[in-house]
Amino acid sequence: MSNSINQSRRNLFSRRKSKVNRPPWVKADIDFTDICTRCDKCITACETQIITRGDGGFPEINFAQDECTFCQKCVQACPEPLFDLAQNVPWQIKATINDSCLANSGIWCQTCKDACDPRAISFKPAIGQAPKPLIDLESCTGCGACVAPCPNQSIKIQA
Ligand code: SF4
Ligand code: SF4
Ligand code: SF4
């Protein structure tokens, strides 16, 4: 591929880098879209089918239906030097809860807490109000298990 085409690919996708979640264990210091060949092998390998073809055909994580189990099948399926399992954590993304959370409307809902295996979500009792969720970012793995069950799509997983 020529340098000019490479450059235009970089320009096209660099703006979106911060918004898009790539699969876990992707090396932090690489330009993902320069190395990924869009072969779809990680998409096929993902046991929970959370890897989708995103912008430009590059793989993106989508937690709308399911979570990451950290099974590493995407890493094992990838033929390119994109991943590093020696990294301390699979990725830097964490859960954040936005203002649309039903607790802000006085509705008692603790669905996200029940979905969270590492118990990173807690609810602080408040007199006369619905308890609001709090996320312990140290415990949150960014697995996304809390996203799909939330009845109001109030949880995003992002860096
Ligand atoms: S670690 Fe497993 S569940 Fe997570 S994105 Fe990779 S293949 Fe999918
Ligand atoms: S599941 Fe969603 S709406 Fe319910 S408490 Fe958690 S963030 Fe709020
Ligand atoms: S992303 Fe996973 S670990 Fe983090 S709060 Fe949601 S369910 Fe818990």
Side-chain angles (χ1 to χ4, degrees):
M1 187 176 291
S2 75
N3 281 345
S4 62
I5 294 173
N6 255 337
Q7 185 61 44
S8 64
R9 271 177 72 179
R10 242 192 305 278
N11 291 344
L12 187 59
F13 299 111
S14 59
R15 277 176 286 122
R16 295 192 275 256
K17 261 188 221 162
S18 59
K19 306 245 187 221
V20 171
N21 293 332
R22 300 297 181 199
W25 289 287
V26 163
K27 292 175 186 169
D29 58 347
I30 56 159
D31 207 338
F32 186 89
T33 56
D34 276 356
I35 300 172
C36 173
T37 62
R38 296 176 273 189
C39 69
D40 288 353
K41 287 190 171 135
C42 60
I43 295 173
T44 307
C46 181
E47 64 176 21
T48 53
Q49 300 186 326
I50 61 166
I51 310 180
T52 58
R53 289 196 117 215
D55 277 347
F58 292 101
E60 294 179 10
I61 296 292
N62 182 332
F63 293 112
Q65 303 295 329
D66 214 330
E67 68 190 276
C68 179
T69 61
F70 303 111
C71 68
Q72 302 184 357
K73 286 182 181 161
C74 50
V75 181
Q76 285 149 12
C78 179
E80 305 301 331
L82 278 158
F83 295 90
D84 179 9
L85 285 172
Q87 294 178 111
N88 284 343
V89 288
W91 46 25
Q92 301 297 329
I93 54 177
K94 307 273 183 188
T96 59
I97 296 177
N98 64 41
D99 290 344
S100 69
C101 169
L102 293 172
N104 291 323
S105 309
I107 296 168
W108 288 62
C109 169
Q110 302 203 354
T111 305
C112 50
K113 180 184 175 189
D114 295 340
C116 179
D117 274 349
R119 301 189 177 277
I121 304 177
S122 60
F123 283 78
K124 201 171 161 190
I127 295 166
Q129 291 177 2
K132 296 193 171 102
L134 288 171
I135 296 180
D136 172 13
L137 294 178
E138 288 294 313
S139 306
C140 175
T141 62
C143 70
C146 52
V147 173
C150 173
N152 221 24
Q153 290 86 48
S154 302
I155 306 177
K156 296 268 177 297
I157 311 291
Q158 55 198 20

